[in-house]
Amino acid sequence: MKRIIRIESEAAEKAADAVRLDFDQRNRRRIVFTTNGGASILLDMARPVHLRDGDMLRLDDDSMVRVEALCEPLIEIAAHSSADLVRISWHLGNRHLPTQLLPGDNGGTLRIRHDHVIAEMVVGLGGHCQPVLAPFDPEGGAYSGTGGHHHGHGHDHEHGHEHGQAHNHAHSHGQEHHAHG
């Protein structure tokens, strides 16, 4: 099995193969991928990495494999004003939801994984939700250490709870920080 030795954002050479991955598969430390051509390649890095659509994986035989982000069921969120969008963003962040920021009118739009409960909350806050199928590439967060790119230079950020879709928290931050609804 070939091993991935380096992740390159831009490469002058053409990839010999490609690997199609969803968001979760593109955020790993160690995993075996199967390329479109059927080859098994091993990702084994010291820290988790965030692979983006178009990244090139340099293998130990010096060949290249291109990362292709799979489309996923998402919700695209818009609002009438940038102030409304900021408020919606705060509520999404308060729930630790991975959120992709897209530029545009009225502050742009947001994308989150499809979740009907969160969509109802967004509508209640004055937002507009549109289901879309698109690659998901959310912001890395304050502790990701990405500094603009993404190849595993962050630290482990442990809360003692899972991040994901709508969920309840059994911990306290000294205020009603995680009230849902």
Side-chain angles (χ1 to χ4, degrees):
M1 175 182 322
K2 296 178 185 175
R3 295 174 60 95
I4 299 166
I5 59 169
R6 190 169 53 252
I7 300 161
E8 301 178 12
S9 299
E10 297 179 23
E13 63 199 88
K14 185 174 166 86
D17 203 346
V19 62
R20 300 191 71 201
L21 307 170
D22 67 18
F23 172 70
D24 289 330
Q25 294 168 319
R26 289 183 286 118
N27 289 278
R28 302 297 293 263
R29 185 193 75 76
R30 182 177 168 85
I31 189 172
V32 174
F33 297 128
T34 302
T35 68
N36 295 352
S40 294
I41 58 174
L42 174 64
L43 174 73
D44 186 14
M45 299 292 171
R47 295 179 184 254
V49 295
H50 174 68
L51 303 172
R52 291 202 164 117
D53 187 59
D55 278 351
M56 301 292 271
L57 308 176
R58 173 82 58 186
L59 305 183
D60 55 6
D61 68 353
D62 209 35
S63 65
M64 300 288 275
V65 173
R66 177 183 164 81
V67 173
E68 297 175 351
L70 282 174
C71 290
E72 303 180 51
L74 306 173
I75 298 171
E76 195 160 280
I77 300 167
H80 290 293
S81 70
S82 57
D84 287 342
L85 197 62
V86 167
R87 188 167 38 112
I88 292 166
S89 299
W90 184 90
H91 282 277
L92 296 175
N94 190 46
R95 285 158 180 80
H96 302 279
L97 294 175
T99 303
Q100 183 175 357
L101 311 175
L102 302 168
D105 297 335
N106 289 330
T109 57
L110 308 171
R111 283 187 182 159
I112 61 170
R113 287 186 161 149
H114 189 270
D115 182 319
H116 72 280
V117 173
I118 299 299
E120 289 175 17
M121 176 198 75
V122 167
V123 170
L125 292 168
H128 311 283
C129 297
Q130 178 69 38
V132 297
L133 280 174
F136 189 45
D137 194 18
E139 289 296 306
Y143 299 104
S144 68
T146 59
H149 213 55
H150 52 279
H151 296 137
H153 302 291
H155 73 278
D156 293 332
H157 183 71
E158 183 59 46
H159 284 287
H161 65 275
E162 301 257 340
H163 288 214
Q165 297 184 1
H167 56 280
N168 293 321
H169 293 281
H171 67 281
S172 174
H173 290 280
Q175 55 182 304
E176 290 193 35
H177 171 79
H178 289 284
H180 292 273

